[in-house]
Amino acid sequence: RNVFGVVEAKGGSKDWLVVTAHYDHLGHMGPDVLFPGANDNASGVSMLLCLAEEIKKKPLKKNVLFIAFAGEEAGLQGSTWCVTDRPIELERIHMLINLDLAGTGEEGITVVNSTEQQKLFDQLVAINTKEQLLPAIKPRGPACNSDHCPFMHKGVPAVFIYTMGGISAYHDVYDRPETLPLTEFDDLHRLLLGALRSL
């Protein structure tokens, strides 16, 4: 099931920011093999929860909807359902930021769909340059490779952010919490919080 959380804006805004991450992974293959999914995507869910905790303490100018999606690994099932049986009107969403693979960062981050959301990308770069947080912020065009995609296809402004470098374990038994470095987790948290506060 999709899991929702809301932090209402101070001042009664009708507009929304949405932060998303998928909490499912590949699970078991037989009785003995487990795919833990630490980077993909416990790291993204952890970032979502950290952002929610901070924003709850100090609400933003817009309402914030946090969504932990089910069924991403099964073909974006949770996010596809969410744009159909939607919890809020899609036209009220100012920006959606999807988080997946947030556990490394030695080489910075990539912002998928940044070519369509240039203003947000430029803001991320400006905050990063000012605060000297991440090694690089790289742009990438549209790609239907995570839960931002169903929203993007409905005309919702959306980006997908993932970290680069470090451990390369992905969809295998080696994507474990004890080997995930979380190298730039704190700096990415600061960057995302700054960007959300600016929107």
Side-chain angles (χ1 to χ4, degrees):
R1 300 186 180 194
N2 294 332
V3 181
F4 302 92
V6 170
V7 178
E8 293 183 351
K10 47 186 179 183
S13 173
K14 293 183 179 180
D15 293 325
W16 292 83
L17 302 173
V18 181
V19 179
T20 67
H22 73 92
Y23 72 86
D24 64 308
H25 193 54
L26 301 179
H28 286 273
M29 182 179 292
D32 302 318
V33 179
L34 172 67
F35 295 81
N39 197 25
D40 180 23
N41 187 34
S43 65
V45 174
S46 297
M47 184 64 73
L48 179 149
L49 293 172
C50 289
L51 291 169
E53 184 177 34
E54 287 298 317
I55 291 169
K56 183 180 178 184
K57 293 176 188 174
K58 189 177 178 183
L60 306 184
K61 295 175 286 186
K62 295 178 176 65
N63 303 300
V64 186
L65 174 64
F66 297 92
I67 310 174
F69 286 121
E72 192 265 3
E73 300 288 2
L76 312 182
Q77 295 296 312
S79 50
T80 298
W81 178 254
C82 196
V83 298
T84 302
D85 187 23
R86 50 194 179 275
I88 57 176
E89 293 302 317
L90 298 182
E91 59 268 21
R92 303 303 309 189
I93 299 175
H94 183 73
M95 180 62 65
L96 181 145
I97 297 177
N98 180 52
L99 304 168
D100 198 349
L101 302 163
T104 64
E106 286 86 342
E107 297 174 18
I109 61 172
T110 293
V111 184
V112 175
N113 207 36
S114 60
T115 55
E116 305 300 312
Q117 304 301 329
Q118 191 67 47
K119 185 176 179 181
L120 173 61
F121 181 79
D122 291 344
Q123 184 66 11
L124 289 167
V125 171
I127 294 169
N128 193 60
T129 301
K130 180 181 179 182
E131 300 193 25
Q132 294 293 294
L133 299 171
L134 302 174
I137 300 180
K138 296 184 180 179
R140 182 174 170 182
C144 197
N145 54 353
S146 193
D147 284 313
H148 65 293
C149 182
F151 290 86
M152 186 178 73
H153 285 166
K154 293 287 187 179
V156 174
V159 296
F160 160 34
I161 294 175
Y162 61 88
T163 56
M164 301 180 298
I167 187 171
S168 59
Y170 177 72
H171 282 191
D172 57 35
V173 299
Y174 303 107
D175 186 8
R176 305 189 304 265
E178 58 268 29
T179 58
L180 190 64
L182 298 174
T183 315
E184 292 291 348
F185 191 90
D186 290 344
D187 284 339
L188 178 57
H189 178 260
R190 288 175 60 190
L191 177 66
L192 292 169
L193 196 57
L196 288 164
R197 293 199 186 284
S198 72
L199 291 169

